[in-house]
Amino acid sequence: MNNLTIKNARKLFVDKKISSHDLVKYYLERIDKYDNKLNSYLTVNEKALEKSRNICKPPDKNKPLLGIPIAIKDIFLSKKLRTTAASKLLDDYVPMYSATVVERLENAGAIILGKTNLDAWCHGSSTETSDYGPTLNPWNSRHLSGGSSGGSAAAVSADLCTAAIGTETAGSVRGPAAWCGVVGFKPTYGRVSRYGVIAMGSSLDSPGPITKSVEDASLLLRIIAGKDEYDATTSDISVDNYLNELKKKRKNLRIAFAKNYLLKNMDDRAKKAIIDTTKVFKKIGAEVREIITLDPRYAIGVYTIIQRSEVSSNLSRFDGIRFGKDRNYFGQEAKRRIMLGTFTLSSGYQDKYYKKAQKVRTLFINDFKRIFENFDLIITPTMPGPAPKIGATKNQAMFGEMADILSEAPSIAGLPSISVPCGFVDGLPIGLSIIGPQFSEKVILKAAYLYERFTDWKNFKPNLENL
Amino acid sequence: MKSKVKVKIDNVKLVEKLSKLEIEEKDYFTKQFNETLSVVEEINNLDTQGLTPTNHVTNLSNVFREDNIDEERLLSQKEALSGSRCVFNGYFVVKAVFENE
């Protein structure tokens, strides 16, 4: 049962080699054994075992995930299952309804195995702002798992679930996926519903799958994507059968290699690993050319202002009256972000900060449009290097925004992007990001699938005995 | 537009009040506040004359739905109150807003 993908688990269910109950038991035992140290789960669903026991048929077309145990970032509301956003403010909060994503997964037959750790309120790129302590990196427990969806990425990497769901505002799915050596997909803004996701930056937040393979990401994305009448920002553009699209032949890809995303201070070995990916793409028939984009450093300012402004507005609903504890329970990072956002939206400063940021955002959108006139996709490193050590965020007023520098420009432009494993530096995984125009999910997945098949990074797994 | 903003502790106190938060170590906080502002202000080096601010990233506008009530989705009063720490006779309890004279 080691390291089963959804695809392989489904096959074993169909062939009656194992049952969903066996698989849930397998994960619960592993969680029991390793997660005290790793800290990837905040809540394990006590009903998972019982639910799996009642499953007596294999997955089919209507229930493609029947019996598959999935971990959910603890930012999604889950009916009658504690949801904390990794903040003590919501320590004992039990929602009365589920997020659309959770509902769609359950309707497809998935078993919610538990709720995973994150930076409190998604504020960070390390899980170090979690009120329940950081999630460690399964490859080396002295290092960060990344964030904010660090618990989800670590749980997938350490084989404590079949697959997981995270959310990304800028880098929060792809970053931890890269640092934990798994696949992370951030869809186009509005492709996946935000209903029932505790809001961070409402004009940016995008739920997405974190998986052991590109095929699994394709399968999960199709299930969670699509119009939702409870989230007015979801698109009614039809959802493709991404899994079938992977097998289809398509014309050769034109790939732009964003040369200025290889930052000056980046680790040389990480740089080389990214340059090597261009060789792989050329071998599989793609046309790869270097380009220069608008400097991603400017995206830090745009992203920080927009995100913190939206945070200040979204977190104003936590009044301690209807649910949760009072505002004194916000941690340092949340307070910092709420206050900066309140400032940038305050009278006299709104034009200087918020409006200016939205104008530069237009500049980034136009810059990507210009590139996509001649290219299908852009490739960049996901993060500037491998996971830093635990404690790296101490006294850093904007660790998250700085660490996510390479994810911010595509995110503020609403673009979809995947991170796939592309090498190791000092035994720690790094990731390649493949970015496409809005709603080009199937092209991105196809390119990632070809890359994954041509390389063998997916075969490397962390050794948890070394934790 | 290009002048650097320097936030003083009084600004922080005002924002603290507006945000309904309490901050300890206000000096340290003010320092970090200024550090962050100096990074984000780099965007002022870009010329954005004539550009429209982004309103919606995938260009949606005026999204409506039918004004129907889905009875199955309604929370009962008990459910709606279940997250509150202080309820009375089916109501949320809040602190008095007006002071007695």
Side-chain angles (χ1 to χ4, degrees):
Chain A
M1 271 185 280
N2 282 1
N3 282 306
L4 286 182
T5 57
I6 298 177
K7 184 189 176 185
N8 292 340
R10 289 208 303 182
K11 188 162 187 320
L12 292 177
F13 288 171
V14 171
D15 295 345
K16 297 206 164 66
K17 295 253 172 64
I18 63 165
S19 67
S20 168
H21 189 59
D22 296 332
L23 194 55
V24 171
K25 249 184 6 200
Y26 167 80
Y27 291 131
L28 292 178
E29 278 163 21
R30 286 181 68 83
I31 291 168
D32 206 37
K33 191 168 170 196
Y34 299 113
D35 211 44
N36 271 339
K37 181 90 197 267
L38 209 57
N39 198 29
S40 64
Y41 283 88
L42 294 177
T43 306
V44 174
N45 185 5
E46 285 170 2
K47 291 181 189 134
L49 205 56
E50 185 194 321
K51 265 197 161 173
S52 68
R53 199 177 287 131
N54 297 329
I55 292 171
C56 44
K57 54 176 198 168
D60 57 24
K61 241 185 154 177
N62 292 325
K63 300 266 179 199
L65 298 178
L66 191 62
I68 302 288
I70 306 259
I72 309 279
K73 184 181 187 179
D74 205 18
I75 198 77
F76 291 88
L77 301 190
S78 46
K79 192 174 177 176
K80 295 185 181 167
L81 182 62
R82 183 175 87 130
T83 300
T84 67
S87 169
K88 285 278 161 76
L89 193 146
L90 293 178
D91 188 52
D92 53 5
Y93 174 55
V94 179
M96 282 298 120
Y97 66 98
S98 285
T100 297
V101 166
V102 173
E103 209 166 276
R104 287 186 180 177
L105 290 168
E106 289 197 311
N107 287 343
I111 292 180
I112 308 305
L113 193 56
K115 306 293 291 291
T116 51
N117 197 12
L118 61 147
D119 285 283
W121 311 101
C122 301
H123 297 172
S125 307
S126 63
T127 67
E128 286 202 311
T129 72
S130 167
D131 285 349
Y132 302 89
T135 298
L136 311 185
N137 192 308
W139 292 86
N140 183 333
S141 58
R142 290 191 307 274
H143 288 254
L144 297 170
S145 58
S148 62
S149 313
S152 289
V156 172
S157 166
D159 197 26
L160 305 181
C161 59
T162 318
I165 302 287
T167 56
E168 171 156 336
T169 308
S172 277
V173 162
R174 284 174 288 156
W179 283 353
C180 292
V182 293
V183 175
F185 194 95
K186 182 249 176 232
T188 307
Y189 175 79
R191 180 73 297 182
V192 178
S193 167
R194 291 177 295 111
Y195 180 74
V197 180
I198 297 171
M200 180 191 179
S202 302
S203 79
L204 298 153
D205 294 345
S206 309
I210 297 177
T211 58
K212 295 168 191 167
S213 73
V214 175
E215 283 181 316
D216 281 7
S218 310
L219 173 69
L220 282 184
L221 183 62
R222 189 192 181 196
I223 291 164
I224 61 175
K227 181 81 186 157
D228 176 14
E229 65 170 311
Y230 303 111
D231 174 0
T233 60
T234 49
S235 167
D236 50 15
I237 294 174
S238 66
V239 176
D240 294 304
N241 186 329
Y242 303 114
L243 198 55
N244 288 353
E245 293 289 336
L246 296 182
K247 315 285 176 197
K248 285 189 189 162
K249 272 216 164 356
R250 56 157 298 131
K251 66 174 175 56
N252 281 342
L253 293 163
R254 297 166 304 164
I255 295 176
F257 176 48
K259 208 177 169 211
N260 56 328
Y261 274 61
L262 294 182
L263 305 174
K264 280 199 186 89
N265 56 354
M266 239 176 98
D267 187 293
D268 281 338
R269 294 163 297 172
K271 268 187 200 173
K272 186 180 175 297
I274 298 299
I275 293 167
D276 285 347
T277 69
T278 64
K279 294 176 191 157
V280 173
F281 281 113
K282 281 177 189 159
K283 272 188 201 149
I284 51 187
E287 177 199 333
V288 185
R289 277 191 291 149
E290 283 180 6
I291 53 148
I292 298 291
T293 69
L294 185 58
D295 193 334
R297 274 186 310 135
Y298 292 116
I300 299 175
V302 178
Y303 171 67
T304 304
I305 292 168
I306 293 170
Q307 170 250 109
R308 293 191 181 198
S309 298
E310 292 178 4
V311 160
S312 76
S313 163
N314 278 324
L315 295 193
S316 67
R317 70 168 60 85
F318 293 93
D319 51 18
I321 294 167
R322 293 156 303 155
F323 46 80
K325 298 177 187 170
D326 67 61
R327 293 174 75 78
N328 288 325
Y329 282 86
F330 279 126
Q332 279 300 311
E333 183 68 22
K335 285 182 178 173
R336 235 188 334 246
R337 294 194 182 200
I338 294 169
M339 289 196 35
L340 195 99
T342 304
F343 177 75
T344 53
L345 288 179
S346 64
S347 133
Y349 295 105
Q350 212 173 8
D351 279 3
K352 182 178 170 65
Y353 293 109
Y354 188 71
K355 206 168 168 191
K356 176 76 184 183
Q358 293 288 27
K359 282 185 180 175
V360 179
R361 190 178 193 177
T362 305
L363 210 57
F364 272 103
I365 291 171
N366 293 345
D367 189 52
F368 282 118
K369 274 190 188 146
R370 169 186 69 85
I371 296 165
F372 289 130
E373 276 171 16
N374 298 310
F375 293 95
D376 301 303
L377 300 168
I378 304 172
I379 56 173
T380 71
T382 303
M383 301 298 275
K389 285 208 166 115
I390 301 281
T393 64
K394 202 164 183 275
N395 296 330
Q396 302 282 319
M398 42 193 312
F399 175 85
E401 287 99 344
M402 295 302 221
D404 291 331
I405 172 170
L406 303 179
S407 314
E408 284 156 0
S411 286
I412 59 177
L415 305 180
S417 172
I418 198 169
S419 178
V420 286
C422 73
F424 290 87
V425 170
D426 291 331
L428 289 161
I430 55 170
L432 168 76
S433 268
I434 307 173
I435 304 157
Q438 290 183 355
F439 302 104
S440 68
E441 274 78 1
K442 69 175 178 189
V443 186
I444 294 173
L445 287 162
K446 173 82 186 184
Y449 179 64
L450 292 174
Y451 177 80
E452 182 190 59
R453 282 215 309 183
F454 200 84
T455 56
D456 60 358
W457 305 118
K458 61 184 172 298
N459 300 331
F460 293 89
K461 303 290 174 191
N463 181 357
L464 300 189
E465 303 308 325
N466 295 342
L467 274 183
Chain B
M1 279 290 277
K2 285 195 178 168
S3 66
K4 289 248 185 230
V5 171
K6 181 115 170 78
V7 169
K8 298 196 185 72
I9 199 153
D10 284 347
N11 302 94
V12 169
K13 281 180 185 162
L14 175 66
V15 174
E16 186 183 12
K17 198 176 145 209
L18 290 171
S19 330
K20 279 194 164 300
L21 291 172
E22 284 166 32
I23 305 292
E24 292 157 27
E25 301 178 338
K26 287 194 183 52
D27 288 323
Y28 180 61
F29 207 89
T30 308
K31 187 177 147 263
Q32 287 199 326
F33 214 107
N34 280 312
E35 276 170 25
T36 305
L37 286 181
S38 73
V39 174
V40 304
E41 277 177 6
E42 277 203 37
I43 62 172
N44 288 324
N45 298 329
L46 287 172
D47 181 11
T48 52
Q49 235 182 357
L51 282 176
T52 319
T54 297
N55 285 316
H56 190 267
V57 76
T58 61
N59 295 319
L60 290 178
S61 65
N62 297 339
V63 178
F64 297 107
R65 65 170 171 82
E66 291 299 313
D67 189 15
N68 294 331
I69 294 171
D70 179 352
E71 303 276 347
E72 277 183 23
R73 293 174 49 88
L74 289 181
L75 295 182
S76 67
Q77 189 181 36
K78 197 178 152 206
E79 285 171 325
L81 292 168
S82 66
S84 181
R85 317 191 91 72
C86 197
V87 294
F88 180 74
N89 280 349
Y91 291 97
F92 293 112
V93 176
V94 298
K95 280 188 190 159
V97 178
F98 301 105
E99 286 173 27
N100 285 330
E101 294 204 0

